[in-house]
Structure formats: structure tokens, C-alpha cells
Amino acid sequence: MPKFGIVVDLDKCSGCQACSVACAMENNLPSGSADLAEAGRLLRWLQMLPQFEGEYPHYGGQTVPMMCQQCERPPCTLVCPVSATYPSADGIVAQIYWRCIGCRYCVNACPYTMKWFNWFEPQWPGELKDGTNPDVEMREKGVTEKCTFCHHKLQIAKERAKAEGRAIRPDEYVPACAMACPTEAIVFGDIEDPESDAFRKSRGARAFRFLEDLGTNPKVIYLKSM
Amino acid sequence: MKLGATAGLGAAISGTGSFVFPKNSNDDELAAAQIHRNLPEDFVASVCSCCPALCQLRLRRVGSKIVGVLPQSPKPCPRAYAIPQEIYHPERIRHPMRGTGARGYRAFETVDRGSAVDEMSRCLLQNPVRSAILLGGTAAASRNLLAEFALAVGCNDVYVEDSSIHQGPVDALRDATGWDRWNFSTLKSNGVISFGFEWLQSSSAFPESMVAFQKMREQNLPIIFVGSRYGTTAMRSKEWVRTRAGYEPLVALTICAHIIKQEKHARSCDAIQGFGDFAKSIAALDVGAFCKKTGVSPREIHRISDILIGRPKILAISCRGRLEDQWPVVLLNIVLGSVGTEQPLLPVQKLASPATAPAEGIPEKIERGDVESLVIVESNPVFGSPNPNRWRNALCKVKRLVVLGTIFDESCAFADVVLPLSCASESSDVYAKVSNSEVTRVKSEPAVPKGADMFDLAHLVFDLAKSPGGKELPWRTLDEYSNSVKTVSPPDLRIDLGKFVTWKDPVFEEGEFHVVPFVPTGFYCQNGGHLPYLLTTAGAHLREFWTTFIEINKETAHRLGIEDREIVILKSGAGEIEARARYYEGVPPDVIGIPLGLGHRIGSFAQKIGGNPSQLFAFRRDERTGAVLWNLQKISIRRIH
């Protein structure tokens, strides 16, 4: 069973945020509003995390694409009272919206603050809903959501491959962020397959994980900027 | 899975592992989703027409709806992925409308297509010599066709939306070479030194810039940003050379002088007539004084010069700016040998398109009475121009105003009649795309049908041609027109330094702080703030979303008693707005950074906090080139309470 992960090369990341917008479109993230933004309630599964230090003129850093880290030992799953979130066999931390009771224990438990709670009913003014992705479930008020490595694409790829009696090809399952990245800074793949780019990059000297000392063992690996 | 855990929801789990949806779900939505899943799906080739990059895409079509965007290589900017939001935007203009009431605050009611076309016909044809057209959007054959028609009927005032903030030093290049179409090819370069230009954020060749950036990082090539503000380009450059705001070109001139003094200029310079004497005059410049003005030390100049002369094909770029700001950067490219057909700065073919003028002269013409009727096509000058009050006043005064567009915006609110246009994925059009030194035609076919009341611009033009007062055009179809337009190739390159303009100190507007504007990625010509997904990208480095904000140095903020996230008032001679102040150590104490393109207050995704930064900028234009100058503004800041 492949263990899917993402490697983000911070040296190649230009900060363009094509990944963030592509993710929002692919996964039917609510548009949001000025009120939600003011209240800090905008839902964006993939956000840029500012990592700066120093004072002018000795100032430096960059923004880092941050999404659910798909931990091997996810704290969020340990606290969910209804198993609405659990680690699946293919390495993706699943989120079942219909099970979620909105207690937000997982939101609090996540050390990366990458679980998002729908405080309000998502609004789709006008005909905006016509442009939403039919493969992705629309969430509603009261449930938590997060990056799923575009799990729906994996399902579709599996169905197609099964129908054709073959294995899934690597290019058949690529999350929206990796597909959108114009500098190939985001690489997706099986981080335990020695043939995959993701495996090779994740074992390089520049590789690191955020909050490694917490023991969550995230499957989003970053490569330090050179 | 535990049945007990799900029993509370009333769900049952069948033997196959699929769910029976509980009764308390949104049945209509699920049913719609089910229907959607059974509709035919395909992928349609299309073009993103938001900027001159003209990125090619595949649109995912399910049934008759566009539900996704897949990139082709080279990949597009974030804007392309929001195309479905553009098509199905709540403020999408779907029917022709007539406005009543005071201009700028009009109430609109739907009218029939015939009335709308009649109004446009009257606007253009009743008195063509007093009519004008403002063309926004990307250079498409349909737009050029409208321009041809206007010129044919005697309307000589055909303007294009200003995009100076995205352009390089094209005027100095024209003066130096006699050619006005250039490709600043980051892809052909072995490194980039940018003098204040955010090429990784605001370039009109985004995909190429990204591929070039990737290559430069992989090969450890020099990427240098010279500027006062630590923006996206500085963040991703190998070096950030800090300089005083507005003095970036002087750093370029200092580097030129140093290289010429060392006699390390490219050998190709020796072939330039008069280069010897010219070089002597540059070498004689007081670089010590320049270093004091810019704040960049002589040692730093030496070091950077060594990096640049150490390798071929380094590209120097800058904003368009004043003519005397452009020349140092053009000169640096010449001195480095980077200008030529095999070099990063290469002359490009152009289409023999209809003659146009920069749009920013229109308000004055309206005030003088030279223009009585105006047609605006896919442009929002009331929002995106410096000192937009000029436009507001002019559009209140103009006798007839017709606006054609896809999204109802601030300029539409002044119109007598608004006509809904189809967008790139709903119509056929031909676009002119630059590739290396060639112009190639990219055809786009409709991926989904346009609304019944919407107009294809090309068809509208042909209808106008047949209307009373119109003039038959020599082409019957858009393809015929597009194929008839000749490409003009650049002549053999000959550099002439006779028109070199000596740099002089900029004259800033009155105020305490320099304003360094930047255009967030995807906001080409400040267009994009109506899309909610883009509204969360402009301030990512500060976690600031959906608000007009300023970057202010902490020391400055403390001196003024401003707290982080406090709403402040920004004031200039041109206008006044509110914005949220954010502490940011990436700007020096005398500089305020501000993103352009935010501040929409109409529509479903309007902001609540912060005005339109364009209102702070005085309308300044280089009289020799027509370029709008965005980098000479200063402002004052005060607290609200």
C-alpha cells in the first residue's frame, strides 16, 4: 500500500500561491466574506505561513505553504469522540463530514492549526455553485474539514484503474496543489517507494519536518531553502 | 468503522461499505451532486486572457458547466484557477442594462439587446470625431477589430488601458534601438538583477518567470533584487540590495559606471557608434555621490558588478518609470551585452494592429469637451487609475457612456448602458502571444455557451458595421480579420546612445512616507479583487486577508503611536483612505508598502475595511512617454482616534 506524502522545496517556492487557489477551487472551499475574514474564520486548507526573522535592515525569511501535515501519529484522531477523523491505510488522515459532531476537539489538538471548523453555513451567492467540483462533497455549518491530499482524485483513479484491470499510474493521482505549482516546488508521491521523486527528496540533507519533536511524524516534508 | 458511532446520525452501512445518506441531510444538494456525477465529463482546451501571458489551460467541463482548471505547461498564476468563479460570479453581467439616476450611483434595469446595441451605435456613430473607446483586457483580435471599426467610422480616439506598472523600460529601449517591442526573457537569462521591479509577482510573463526562477535556483544562478522593500521578489532572490525608495535606477547607473571604468563592458559595445566618448562621460560620473544618494556602498557596487560581469546573459530589469529611470537599466543591459536576438533582452515581432494611445488622457479630453461619448471595454478606470476622482468627474460629465464587460464594477455604475460580454471560455477569439522573438496566434474556442443575452465582441462589431451610420468592414469573420493582420519583424539591431537621458533626482509628491505599491500575483492591472480566492492571497506574508493594509516599520509605528492591526488614515494630495496598519520589518522607517487592487466596496465580495489605494496616487505621467508613474508618491499617516 503506498504511503502518500508531499515534499515542499522551499528553495523553489516562489510564493505565488497558485497552490492555495487551486486547492480552494478543487475542494469547493467556501468563498468567504469580509466578516469571516475579520473574525479570522476564512477557510483555506492550504495557507502561506510567514517565517520571517530579524529587524530592518537585517530581515529575511519567506512564506511557507502549509496544509494538513497528514501525520503518521495524528493527535486529532486521538481526541475525536466519534471517529470522524482517522488515519487511513494510504497515509491520508481521513475526515468524514457526516460523522463530525462539531466538538472541535481535533481543531484544538492539531499542533499545526490546520483543521478548519465551519462556524457558519458556507455561502455561494448567485450562480457560484455551478462552478464547484462535483467530486467533492460540500460541507456545512458545524463540521470540521482539512486538506485530504485531494483524496477524491485517488478514489477516481482507483475506480478507473480497477475498471481497466491495472494499477494506478503515478500521474493519475496528483493533488491540485502539486499539479498547480509552476516551479515544481511541491512534489507528491509515495514517500516509501524508492523509485519516486518524493522518496528521494524526502531523504535529502535539506529535508525537515515541522515540530518534529512532538512525534507526530508528518508526511509533509519540507526542504530548506539554500 | 463502528456502527455505534454512526447510529446517532441515523445512518446505515450497507455490505458494500457505501453509506445510505441520513434523512437529515440536504437531500436536494445530494441529489444535485448525484445528477452532476452522471453527466458527461471532458476537458476543453482554452486560454486565460487575464494578462499578456495568455496561459493555455484545460477546462474541466461536466455537463455544460466549467468545474475545474487544469494547467498546461508552463503553468499559470493563481488567477487562472479562479476562472470558474469569474464565469459564475454573482456580479456577472448577464443582461444588457440601462442606468438611471445620478452617475456613479445608478439604478439599473434590464433592457433588450436591440436597445443596447442601438445605444452603443449612437455612442460611436452619431458624432464619431467626438467619440472615444477605451480598450482593457488582453490584446485579442476582437478588441482590435473594434478599434479598426472605430477608426473606419472616423473615431480617432482609441485608447488602451495603462499597464505601465507591469512593463519594463520599453521607452528607453525604443529610443536606443528604434524598436518598441521587447521580450525581457528571464528564461534566456543566466541570472536576473531587478531594480525595483517585482518580476516574480507582477510580471506579464508569469509562467516563463516561474520556469526561469526554478532553473536559476537549481543552478544557483544570481537572482538579485535592488529595492527598498522586502517583497515577494526580494524574498525569493539570492540577494536583497537595500536602497532608498525611488533611487533603484541610480544603482543601475552606478554599476554601469563602475563596469565601464574597469573596462569590463561587453565587447559588443565597441561596435556601437560613439560608444567610446559616451563611455568616458559615464565613467566620469561622480559615483561616490551616487552611493550616498542610494545608500548602497561602493564596496557593494564592486561586489555586485563582479557578479554580473562574471557570466554572460544577465538580464537587468526595472519598472517602466520615468525615461531617465529607464535609461540606466537599458544601459546596463547594453554594457553587459544582454541586448540582441540571442540575448535575454530580445526584440520581438509585433502585429500591425490599429494605432492606440494611452488611456490616461481621456478624462482631460472629456473635461475639454473633445470627447462627448465614450465606450469602455473590459476596463475599470474608476478603480484602477491613479487619482480615480479624475475619472469619476469625467464620467459624470461625459454625455454618453457605454460600458462592456463581464463583471459589474465601479465603472459600470456610471454607464448609461451596460452590455454583457462573453468571457474567453464562452467565445471564439484569437490572441497574440509572444514566444521568444515571435508573435504567435493562439485561438480560443468556447468551452461553454455564453448567456443568451451576452455579446461576443466580434459579432457585435460586425452588427454595428451594418447598422445605420456604420461602415462595412473588409472582413466577414474574426478569423478573416486576424489572418489579414500582418506581423512586422524588427529591423537589424542598431544601438544608438544619442538619446540617452541623464538621470536626475525624482520629484516626489508631498508627504512624510514614500509609498511603494506592489501588485499581488494574479491582480494584473489591479483586476482580481472581485474574486474571493484571490482576496486571501494579497497579504499572505502578514496573514492579512480581505482588507486594504499597509506595511509599516515597527519603529515608525511606535513613533506615531500606531498599534499592529490598527485602522489608520492615509492621506496624500490626491486623496485619503483608511487601511489597516501591519507591522512589517521588510520596509525601512520612511517607506510604506501597499498592495494595489484591493478596496472594492461593491459586490458580493466587497471589503469592509480599507479603501482603494489608487486614490492616494497623484496622476503623474512622463510627458515624453505617456507612462503612468506610480513610484513618486508620498503620504502622511494619522490615527483615527
Side-chain angles (χ1 to χ4, degrees):
Chain A
M1 178 74 80
K3 187 148 278 184
F4 294 113
I6 275 181
V7 180
V8 181
D9 189 343
L10 297 177
D11 197 60
K12 287 190 194 171
C13 176
S14 67
C16 71
Q17 301 183 72
C19 52
S20 179
V21 177
C23 168
M25 276 307 308
E26 180 70 29
N27 293 289
N28 299 337
L29 265 57
S31 310
S33 68
D35 287 330
L36 283 175
E38 183 64 11
R41 303 292 187 211
L42 280 179
L43 267 73
R44 293 292 178 261
W45 291 2
L46 200 164
Q47 287 197 10
M48 304 304 280
L49 181 72
Q51 295 267 285
F52 298 108
E53 57 184 8
E55 287 183 355
Y56 188 86
H58 308 294
Y59 189 68
Q62 67 177 109
T63 50
V64 173
M66 178 65 72
M67 68 286 269
C68 169
Q69 302 285 284
Q70 309 288 356
C71 307
E72 289 256 40
R73 300 177 60 216
C76 58
T77 62
L78 300 175
V79 301
C80 178
V82 295
S83 300
T85 181
Y86 66 94
S88 68
D90 46 24
I92 299 172
V93 179
Q95 193 77 32
I96 305 175
Y97 306 122
W98 299 114
R99 278 195 180 159
C100 179
I101 58 171
C103 67
R104 305 193 310 280
Y105 285 6
C106 62
V107 174
N108 287 331
C110 176
Y112 303 99
T113 62
M114 283 292 132
K115 294 203 86 150
W116 306 95
F117 183 69
N118 279 280
W119 292 94
F120 305 97
E121 194 64 44
Q123 300 296 312
W124 298 92
E127 297 180 14
L128 217 50
K129 221 174 211 177
D130 283 354
T132 52
N133 184 352
D135 298 327
V136 176
E137 194 172 344
M138 306 289 255
R139 286 77 65 192
E140 49 186 33
K141 176 181 173 181
V143 301
T144 297
E145 57 184 73
K146 66 170 194 68
C147 165
T148 60
F149 275 4
C150 290
H151 187 256
H152 57 282
K153 291 190 169 202
L154 176 61
Q155 290 303 111
I156 292 167
K158 277 181 181 173
E159 285 169 20
R160 209 168 273 147
K162 188 177 177 185
E164 293 172 10
R166 55 169 175 82
I168 302 176
R169 292 188 305 267
D171 63 325
E172 275 189 302
Y173 171 38
V174 182
C177 53
M179 189 175 279
C181 182
T183 58
E184 297 178 7
I186 299 180
V187 172
F188 176 80
D190 182 354
I191 54 173
E192 291 194 341
D193 174 8
E195 299 296 312
S196 77
D197 274 346
F199 174 90
R200 278 193 296 275
K201 287 176 189 276
S202 67
R203 279 150 174 82
R206 292 193 290 132
F208 73 95
R209 291 163 164 83
F210 278 106
L211 302 178
E212 278 188 88
D213 50 336
L214 291 183
T216 53
N217 203 14
K219 287 192 292 297
V220 177
I221 298 127
Y222 293 84
L223 305 184
K224 284 182 201 164
S225 197
M226 291 191 283
Chain B
M1 283 187 273
K2 294 179 183 175
L3 275 174
T6 56
L9 293 173
I13 300 175
S14 71
T16 59
S18 60
F19 283 89
V20 172
F21 295 107
K23 289 267 186 243
N24 60 351
S25 67
N26 185 337
D27 289 333
D28 289 340
E29 189 177 301
L30 288 167
Q34 295 280 331
I35 291 167
H36 226 158
R37 200 66 179 89
N38 293 327
L39 286 170
E41 177 191 38
D42 61 352
F43 297 87
V44 186
S46 187
V47 168
C48 175
S49 62
C50 298
C51 84
L54 294 166
C55 297
Q56 290 178 278
L57 316 160
R58 285 187 310 148
L59 299 179
R60 183 183 172 212
R61 183 171 59 187
V62 173
S64 61
K65 303 291 182 190
I66 300 297
V67 299
V69 177
L70 282 85
Q72 302 273 67
S73 187
K75 296 179 185 177
C77 78
R79 179 75 181 270
Y81 299 98
I83 282 176
Q85 287 203 324
E86 191 97 45
I87 297 171
Y88 304 112
H89 199 277
E91 272 72 55
R92 181 77 198 269
I93 307 168
R94 299 191 179 278
H95 310 282
M97 297 184 286
R98 184 183 304 284
T100 52
R103 287 247 174 105
Y105 305 95
R106 298 207 124 167
F108 284 87
E109 57 184 16
T110 305
V111 294
D112 60 278
R113 285 170 63 96
S115 304
V117 175
D118 286 344
E119 187 62 38
M120 178 148 174
S121 178
R122 268 194 292 278
C123 203
L124 267 180
L125 302 177
Q126 206 158 60
N127 191 1
V129 292
R130 293 247 188 272
S131 300
I133 293 183
L134 164 52
L135 298 170
T138 315
S142 59
R143 277 192 352 165
N144 290 340
L145 184 68
L146 175 59
E148 296 276 12
F149 173 69
L151 293 168
V153 298
C155 165
N156 295 315
D157 286 306
V158 181
Y159 298 88
V160 285
E161 181 179 62
D162 181 79
S163 57
S164 297
I165 205 164
H166 297 282
Q167 294 175 315
V170 291
D171 305 294
L173 269 169
R174 184 199 55 234
D175 287 350
T177 64
W179 188 250
D180 59 355
R181 282 286 190 276
W182 290 85
N183 184 358
F184 293 81
S185 177
T186 48
L187 208 51
K188 276 182 170 295
S189 67
N190 286 330
V192 173
I193 178 164
S194 171
F195 297 90
F197 182 53
E198 291 274 3
W199 66 279
L200 284 173
Q201 192 175 41
S202 317
S203 166
S204 56
F206 174 89
E208 182 186 302
S209 300
M210 292 296 107
V211 175
F213 170 76
Q214 181 188 352
K215 171 191 113 183
M216 289 178 204
R217 293 303 290 206
E218 283 171 357
Q219 297 177 20
N220 202 21
L221 298 175
I223 312 173
I224 305 171
F225 181 77
V226 179
S228 60
R229 175 184 168 262
Y230 192 67
T232 297
T233 304
M235 277 180 219
R236 303 315 299 132
S237 295
K238 294 276 178 139
E239 295 200 42
W240 172 35
V241 178
R242 288 168 284 284
T243 184
R244 277 179 64 196
Y247 285 79
E248 295 86 355
L250 190 56
V251 178
L253 188 59
T254 316
I255 294 171
C256 283
H258 176 75
I259 292 174
I260 288 174
K261 264 188 196 159
Q262 305 288 308
E263 294 186 6
K264 295 205 172 146
H265 50 273
R267 289 304 107 205
S268 54
C269 295
D270 297 332
I272 298 172
Q273 193 175 6
F275 182 78
D277 289 337
F278 179 83
K280 282 181 195 154
S281 66
I282 296 295
L285 292 171
D286 185 356
V287 296
F290 289 173
C291 289
K292 283 200 182 104
K293 281 191 184 188
T294 60
V296 181
S297 68
R299 191 174 175 182
E300 194 72 349
I301 295 291
H302 295 181
R303 190 183 63 79
I304 296 167
S305 303
D306 287 344
I307 293 172
L308 300 181
I309 57 183
R311 62 185 71 239
K313 298 197 176 189
I314 297 283
L315 176 67
I317 49 176
S318 71
C319 304
R320 197 170 165 196
R322 305 176 303 161
L323 191 55
E324 49 266 50
D325 287 334
Q326 298 184 33
W327 263 108
V329 178
V330 169
L331 183 63
L332 181 56
N333 279 300
I334 293 170
V335 160
L336 293 174
S338 297
V339 183
T341 50
E342 298 302 318
Q343 299 300 331
L345 191 45
L346 62 156
V348 182
Q349 284 179 335
K350 61 180 176 181
L351 293 181
S353 298
T356 54
E360 290 301 334
I362 295 180
E364 285 70 35
K365 281 206 157 189
I366 292 174
E367 295 291 342
R368 286 198 304 267
D370 294 340
V371 169
E372 291 179 349
S373 304
L374 178 63
V375 175
I376 297 177
V377 182
E378 290 196 277
S379 181
N380 190 5
V382 167
F383 182 80
S385 297
N387 191 358
N389 283 336
R390 294 167 51 244
W391 279 94
R392 282 199 199 94
N393 295 339
L395 295 190
C396 282
K397 193 173 174 178
V398 75
K399 283 188 184 157
R400 277 180 225 94
L401 177 63
V402 173
V403 176
L404 290 79
T406 52
I407 305 289
F408 192 90
D409 57 28
E410 287 84 354
S411 296
C412 290
F414 289 79
D416 299 319
V417 168
V418 174
L419 275 76
L421 279 185
S422 55
C423 60
S425 35
E426 295 166 335
S427 58
S428 292
D429 217 327
V430 183
Y431 300 91
K433 185 179 168 101
V434 168
S435 175
N436 266 338
S437 59
E438 290 180 345
V439 165
T440 52
R441 286 171 172 80
V442 175
K443 192 147 167 40
S444 161
E445 295 292 351
V448 285
K450 67 183 192 308
D453 275 353
M454 292 180 186
F455 293 90
D456 272 346
L457 186 58
H459 291 162
L460 179 60
V461 173
F462 286 121
D463 286 346
L464 287 172
K466 293 178 198 142
S467 63
K471 192 163 183 174
E472 200 71 32
L473 292 169
W475 319 279
R476 285 164 304 166
T477 64
L478 185 68
D479 279 345
E480 204 179 308
Y481 165 67
S482 171
N483 291 335
S484 74
V485 177
K486 306 250 180 293
T487 46
V488 182
S489 291
D492 289 339
L493 186 66
R494 191 167 297 166
I495 295 176
D496 177 3
L497 297 171
K499 292 184 181 176
F500 177 79
V501 175
T502 308
W503 189 88
K504 53 182 191 279
D505 284 81
V507 176
F508 295 104
E509 296 292 312
E510 287 294 315
E512 190 179 355
F513 301 102
H514 290 278
V515 179
V516 175
F518 59 97
V519 182
T521 313
F523 279 69
Y524 190 77
C525 281
Q526 301 193 48
N527 189 348
H530 59 293
L531 298 172
Y533 290 158
L534 288 191
L535 274 171
T536 49
T537 63
H541 61 303
L542 295 169
R543 310 277 292 164
E544 191 61 50
F545 310 121
W546 221 290
T547 303
T548 303
F549 65 92
I550 57 166
E551 300 163 341
I552 183 168
N553 184 283
K554 210 191 301 188
E555 177 192 314
T556 304
H558 288 163
R559 178 169 65 78
L560 297 174
I562 294 172
E563 293 180 6
D564 194 20
R565 307 198 84 236
E566 185 177 334
I567 309 296
V568 294
I569 294 178
L570 314 176
K571 189 173 163 62
S572 74
E576 188 175 291
I577 64 165
E578 287 183 1
R580 174 169 276 147
R582 296 305 313 274
Y583 289 0
Y584 184 53
E585 288 299 300
V587 290
D590 65 335
V591 166
I592 300 293
I594 193 164
L596 295 178
L598 300 177
H600 288 289
R601 290 301 191 93
I602 65 168
S604 302
F605 305 117
Q607 287 179 206
K608 274 179 72 174
I609 294 172
N612 176 6
S614 293
Q615 288 176 218
L616 295 172
F617 289 84
F619 174 56
R620 297 267 305 263
R621 196 162 57 156
D622 188 309
E623 293 305 323
R624 296 155 292 185
T625 67
V628 172
L629 303 173
W630 289 91
N631 60 339
L632 301 177
Q633 191 61 52
K634 284 192 168 186
I635 58 167
S636 60
I637 306 174
R638 71 168 197 274
R639 304 180 69 198
I640 290 182
H641 305 292

